[in-house]
Amino acid sequence: MIKIVTIVGARPQFVKAAAVSRVLRGHPGVKEILLHTGQHYDDQMSEIFFHEMQIPKPDVNLGVGSGPQGEQTGQMLSGIEKILIQEKPQWVLVYGDTNSTLAGALAAVKLHIPVAHVEAGLRSFNKAMPEEINRILTDHMSDLLLAPTKTAVEHLLLEGISVHSIRNVGDVMYDAALFYAPQAEKKSRILEGLSLTPKGFVLATVHRAENTDDPIILESLFQALNSISKDLPVVLPLHPRTRSSLEKLNIKKSLNSSFKMIDPVGYFDMIKLTQNARFVMTDSGGLQKEAFFYRTPCLTLRTETEWVELVDLGWNELVPPVSKEAIISKAQALMEKPTSSAKEASPYGKGQASVKVLDALLNIAQ
Ligand code: UD1
């Protein structure tokens, strides 16, 4: 029997863990302990995912909540350490690039517990992002690097990480997309609720610190989205971070009624919105891929992306949020000419990533 402590804390990690935990718990030789740091704590940011996706209830919730980077990460580190000392697992499994990822990996490595990192090897090459620091440090502390793509493997090799600890398993988010799409189809009523028609709206999300914490960028982004909504309704589930930055700007009053800002939505509604949007505009990493899984074109509101294959394939275009005019003109071009040049390919595997994660954990443990 191998004991694995899985660490999650933020919304995208619940989606990834949903796919992997199902496979881990289906194996008789594995005991998984799920630790939630509490980085995300609102019902719509956390509980709804556990409920809809039937993720097992966390065995431990540290309840760390929000705070400055150091304070948040430090509290997680100390809480995770206590649990690891108590549980003595064979593996600590961490996901992605959040502060919960970094804290989990650091707590484990200092206790000499092997770390497995799902979504290893992604790089934006922009160290101003907290996520980039979290990824680099986590990869260099990990014993098993579970990369989603060939490009990610190349990044790890270039940084001197041993080929023996790297596996290209594919993307666990693709597993989740395949598994949950039929349920979303049955259960989500979001289109009816918002009076939207298939391909008759744009889905937008904005939550990255680079975009929300700079008032000039945030204002130009929201003015651009507002202007686009005159041609095609824009639906934007609002992340709490963005909501509070917008309140400081006070621009909400001047927005069109076809610019629909709504509360954060669960996974099923998000699938339905992504599948049915004419295109997506986002600064999220996960949503860029989800758009591709459902073959919805995407404009990425950033200067770079970790998911470079999507740009190469023509499904994704980078639109740095520096000029309002540039954002509007890219969106208009996409409204007039959907991505006919986009190529078919499956750079994220075949939906078997979670099984490959389990295989790697079992094989390296032997
Ligand atoms: C975090 C991750 C980011 C990931 C994102 C997914 C880091 C450094 N960033 O960013 O990589 O893409 O999660 O959403 O780990 N808040 C609430 N309720 C919640 C959670 C957050 O109100 O349930 C508010 C708080 O005001 C908080 C702010 O959102 O201060 C930011 O939350 P935080 O977890 O620090 O980072 P995210 O922006 O969510």
Side-chain angles (χ1 to χ4, degrees):
M1 177 72 73
I2 66 165
K3 193 195 265 189
I4 300 171
V5 171
T6 294
I7 294 176
V8 294
R11 202 164 51 169
Q13 292 162 336
F14 308 144
V15 175
K16 294 164 198 168
V20 177
S21 288
R22 184 169 331 94
V23 172
L24 296 186
R25 286 171 192 239
H27 190 285
V30 173
K31 176 167 171 53
E32 184 190 38
I33 292 174
L34 189 59
L35 185 158
H36 188 329
T37 61
Q39 178 170 353
H40 287 176
Y41 45 87
D42 287 345
D43 283 354
Q44 285 299 108
M45 297 291 287
S46 176
E47 178 54 33
I48 189 170
F49 291 85
F50 283 81
H51 172 71
E52 281 187 344
M53 304 178 88
Q54 296 183 308
I55 306 169
K57 190 174 152 34
D59 298 280
V60 184
N61 190 326
L62 298 177
V64 167
S66 305
Q69 297 278 321
E71 187 180 300
Q72 188 186 52
T73 314
Q75 284 182 14
M76 291 174 188
L77 182 60
S78 139
I80 295 168
E81 183 177 64
K82 287 195 186 77
I83 303 297
L84 296 183
I85 290 172
Q86 196 180 303
E87 295 293 343
K88 302 185 182 54
Q90 274 78 45
W91 281 106
V92 165
L93 183 60
V94 295
Y95 291 90
D97 55 18
T98 73
N99 290 345
S100 299
T101 317
L102 175 64
L106 187 52
V109 80
K110 293 287 180 95
L111 293 169
H112 311 293
I113 300 169
V115 178
H117 183 204
V118 172
E119 223 178 65
L122 293 190
R123 296 292 180 266
S124 65
F125 301 101
N126 174 2
K127 284 194 179 164
M129 296 173 67
E131 292 87 356
E132 183 74 353
I133 306 296
N134 291 343
R135 293 180 193 119
I136 296 172
L137 294 176
T138 302
D139 283 340
H140 285 262
M141 289 188 277
S142 294
D143 300 273
L144 177 58
L145 295 105
L146 300 155
T149 61
K150 245 172 60 193
T151 311
V153 172
E154 281 158 19
H155 291 152
L156 295 170
L157 293 174
L158 281 172
E159 289 176 19
I161 290 176
S162 161
V163 69
H164 301 295
S165 38
I166 306 171
R167 302 281 182 282
N168 180 357
V169 291
D171 194 321
V172 299
M173 281 189 73
Y174 187 38
D175 299 17
L178 293 174
F179 185 84
Y180 291 103
Q183 294 181 46
E185 183 56 38
K186 274 200 218 119
K187 294 189 180 152
S188 171
R189 293 285 161 270
I190 186 108
L191 298 187
E192 297 84 336
L194 294 172
S195 308
L196 298 168
T197 52
K199 304 297 157 192
F201 66 97
V202 176
L203 172 64
T205 74
V206 175
H207 79 276
R208 290 275 171 196
E210 317 83 275
N211 287 336
T212 59
D213 296 1
D214 181 330
I216 297 172
I217 292 182
L218 189 67
E219 179 151 2
S220 92
L221 251 170
F222 273 74
Q223 284 185 352
L225 292 170
N226 191 41
S227 167
I228 293 162
S229 74
K230 290 180 196 147
D231 296 319
L232 203 56
V234 174
V235 178
L236 187 140
L238 202 52
H239 189 290
R241 169 197 279 282
T242 318
R243 182 183 295 281
S244 71
S245 301
L246 277 181
E247 270 152 21
K248 287 177 214 140
L249 279 185
N250 209 14
I251 61 165
K252 266 175 123 181
K253 279 189 229 87
S254 56
L255 302 177
N256 295 320
S257 59
S258 53
F259 186 6
K260 298 174 199 264
M261 281 195 224
I262 59 173
D263 285 339
V265 297
Y267 190 61
F268 291 170
D269 284 345
M270 203 59 188
I271 290 182
K272 200 72 194 264
L273 288 171
T274 310
Q275 286 172 327
N276 285 283
R278 177 93 65 93
F279 56 89
V280 165
M281 298 179 76
T282 189
D283 59 6
S284 151
L287 186 55
Q288 291 173 50
K289 280 179 300 168
E290 285 166 334
F292 170 73
F293 298 154
Y294 305 118
R295 300 300 186 262
T296 302
C298 180
L299 295 177
T300 295
L301 302 165
R302 287 178 48 195
T303 41
E304 71 281 306
T305 177
E306 299 78 23
W307 304 104
V308 289
E309 338 34 61
L310 298 175
V311 177
D312 295 343
L313 291 169
W315 283 99
N316 193 341
E317 203 177 339
L318 288 172
V319 189
V322 281
S323 131
K324 180 178 127 188
E325 290 70 27
I327 302 172
I328 297 171
S329 86
K330 282 276 177 8
Q332 277 168 345
L334 206 49
M335 278 182 219
E336 279 152 29
K337 185 182 159 291
T339 51
S340 54
S341 58
K343 293 181 214 129
E344 280 303 315
S346 45
Y348 302 114
K350 299 198 164 74
Q352 294 294 314
S354 307
V355 174
K356 292 187 183 174
V357 168
L358 172 64
D359 283 350
L361 288 167
L362 292 174
N363 290 331
I364 292 208
Q366 280 161 10

